C-alpha cells in the first residue's frame, strides 16, 4: 500500500508540475487541439468524408469531357499532416517560430492525411492536373518535393508546386494557374484563404459573412478540412497582430469565448 501511495504521489506531482509548466502560452491553448487531431476518430472521419465527396465531384466533372481541368490543393493539414511538429512544441513548451517550422520542413517527416493518397490517385487517373499550392517555403522546395514523393503523390514535380516566396496571399498563384490556360474546378484546404482572397485579413465576423456569400461552393468547388491547431481563424481572433506575446493572445482568446 505504501508503495502504491508513493507512486500515486509521484504521478500527482508530475501532473501538477506539467500543468503548471503549460499554464500559459502556446501549449496551454493547443494541447486539446493536437490531441483531437492526432487521436480522434472524428478527425479521421472528417477527412474521409470530405475526400469521398470530392471524388464523387471529380467523377462528375470528368464525365463532362471539359478540357484542361485542374484541382488546386493546399498541403499542410490538407494532404499532409504536421501534428507531430506541434506536439513537439507542446512537449518542449515552446511557441511556434519560423525557424522551428523550416527545420521541420527539412526533416521530410510529414505523413499523408486520411484519404489523401487515394483522392490524388483518382484525380490523376481521371486526367486532372494537380497543383500543390502551399505556403511552405520555396527555398525548401527540394524537401517538400521529397516529402510528397515519399508519400507517392502523383504529378510530384516543381512544375506542379507553387510555394511561398514573397507573399502568403495565394491569389497571385491561383491567377498564374488560370493564365496558363487551366480551368480550376476544385480547391482543397484547411484554411478559407486557400479558396478565395475575399477571406484574407478579415475579422471572424466578416469571415462568417463571406462563408455565407459563397455557401453553395462548399462541397462543389471548395472542400475544407479540419484544423483546430492553427490558421487564419486563430490569427483573426488576435486581429492579425502577430507582434503580441503568447500571454496577450491568451487574454484575447479568453475574451472571445461566448457564454450565457
Amino acid at each position: 500500500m505504501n508503495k502504491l501511495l508513493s507512486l500515486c504521489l509521484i504521478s500527482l506531482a508530475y501532473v501538477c508540475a506539467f500543468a503548471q509548466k503549460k499554464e500559459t502560452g502556446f501549449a496551454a491553448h493547443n494541447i486539446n487541439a493536437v490531441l483531437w487531431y492526432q487521436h480522434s476518430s472524428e478527425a479521421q472521419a472528417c477527412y474521409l468524408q470530405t475526400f469521398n465527396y470530392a471524388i464523387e465531384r471529380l467523377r462528375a466533372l470528368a464525365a463532362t469531357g471539359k478540357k484542361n481541368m485542374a484541382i488546386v490543393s493546399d498541403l499542410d493539414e490538407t494532404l499532409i499532416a504536421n501534428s507531430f511538429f506541434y506536439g513537439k512544441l507542446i512537449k518542449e513548451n515552446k511557441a511556434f517560430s519560423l525557424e522551428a517550422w523550416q527545420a521541420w520542413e527539412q526533416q521530410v517527416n510529414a505523413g499523408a492525411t486520411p484519404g489523401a493518397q487515394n483522392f490524388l490517385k483518382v484525380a490523376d487517373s481521371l486526367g486532372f492536373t494537380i497543383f500543390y499550392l502551399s505556403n511552405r517555403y520555396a527555398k525548401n522546395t527540394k524537401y517538400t518535393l521529397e516529402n510528397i514523393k515519399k508519400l507517392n503523390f502523383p504529378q510530384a514535380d516543381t512544375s506542379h508546386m507553387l510555394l511561398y516566396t514573397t507573399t502568403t496571399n495565394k491569389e497571385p498563384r491561383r491567377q498564374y494557374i488560370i493564365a496558363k490556360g487551366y480551368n480550376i474546378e476544385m480547391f482543397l484546404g484547411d484554411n478559407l484563404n486557400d479558396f478565395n482572397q475575399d477571406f484574407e485579413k478579415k475579422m471572424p465576423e466578416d469571415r462568417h459573412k463571406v462563408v455565407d456569400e459563397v455557401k453553395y461552393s462548399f462541397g462543389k468547388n471548395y472542400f475544407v478540412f479540419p484544423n483546430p491547431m492553427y490558421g487564419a481563424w486563430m490569427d483573426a481572433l488576435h486581429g492579425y497582430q502577430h507582434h503580441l506575446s503568447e500571454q496577450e493572445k491568451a487574454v484575447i482568446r479568453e475574451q472571445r469565448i461566448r457564454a450565457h
Side-chain angles (χ1 to χ4, degrees):
M1 179 64 71
N2 289 338
K3 184 177 180 181
L4 179 61
L5 179 60
S6 297
L7 288 172
C8 288
L9 290 172
I10 290 171
S11 298
L12 180 60
Y14 175 80
V15 170
C16 290
F18 183 83
Q20 184 177 17
K21 180 181 179 184
K22 307 296 182 182
E23 186 175 356
T24 61
F26 177 85
H29 79 84
N30 224 23
I31 290 176
N32 282 347
V34 172
L35 285 172
W36 184 86
Y37 195 88
Q38 291 182 347
H39 296 285
S40 77
S41 299
E42 287 80 3
Q44 176 188 11
C46 282
Y47 276 96
L48 294 175
Q49 173 181 256
T50 305
F51 279 126
N52 286 344
Y53 276 112
I55 287 173
E56 286 188 16
R57 179 63 178 157
L58 285 180
R59 288 176 173 148
L61 287 165
T64 67
K66 190 174 180 179
K67 305 297 183 181
N68 297 324
M69 290 192 292
I71 64 174
V72 173
S73 181
D74 173 55
L75 284 175
D76 299 311
E77 278 54 72
T78 298
L79 300 177
I80 60 177
N82 305 280
S83 69
F84 286 3
F85 166 74
Y86 291 97
K88 184 178 180 181
L89 292 182
I90 291 172
K91 293 281 190 179
E92 297 178 354
N93 198 30
K94 293 181 179 178
F96 175 89
S97 70
L98 296 179
E99 293 74 21
W101 173 254
Q102 290 189 66
W104 166 255
E105 287 185 350
Q106 295 172 15
Q107 288 179 36
V108 192
N109 279 333
T113 56
Q117 290 160 314
N118 181 57
F119 167 80
L120 292 170
K121 180 181 178 180
V122 171
D124 184 54
S125 69
L126 291 174
F128 287 85
T129 300
I130 303 167
F131 287 101
Y132 301 105
L133 201 169
S134 167
N135 278 335
R136 282 183 160 232
Y137 284 85
K139 64 182 179 181
N140 284 333
T141 295
K142 68 176 183 179
Y143 301 107
T144 296
L145 183 56
E146 182 182 348
N147 205 148
I148 65 175
K149 283 184 174 180
K150 180 179 176 181
L151 298 173
N152 296 314
F153 286 5
Q155 303 180 38
D157 57 61
T158 54
S159 68
H160 291 87
M161 296 172 64
L162 293 92
L163 306 185
Y164 167 73
T165 53
T166 59
T167 177
T168 58
N169 187 326
K170 294 183 174 181
E171 185 61 19
R173 284 170 278 172
R174 289 190 285 261
Q175 291 303 318
Y176 170 80
I177 294 169
I178 294 170
K180 297 285 284 185
Y182 291 99
N183 298 303
I184 303 176
E185 301 293 342
M186 182 181 295
F187 296 92
L188 301 97
D190 65 306
N191 188 328
L192 295 178
N193 295 355
D194 294 329
F195 309 134
N196 188 325
Q197 71 170 348
D198 290 342
F199 291 104
E200 291 281 345
K201 304 299 182 182
K202 293 287 199 324
M203 296 301 288
E205 297 77 11
D206 295 321
R207 297 178 93 237
H208 290 321
K209 291 177 182 177
V210 179
V211 168
D212 192 57
E213 290 169 2
V214 299
K215 60 186 176 184
Y216 296 113
S217 293
F218 294 102
K220 182 180 179 182
N221 307 106
Y222 300 163
F223 291 84
V224 64
F225 298 88
N227 181 3
M229 299 181 292
Y230 67 91
W233 71 269
M234 187 179 295
D235 293 333
L237 293 178
H238 309 140
Y240 303 93
Q241 300 181 78
H242 300 293
H243 64 280
L244 295 177
S245 68
E246 288 299 320
Q247 288 71 28
E248 289 172 323
K249 290 177 181 178
V251 171
I252 293 173
R253 284 193 297 270
E254 185 172 353
Q255 292 172 342
R256 280 281 188 176
I257 292 175
R258 297 170 181 170
H260 290 288

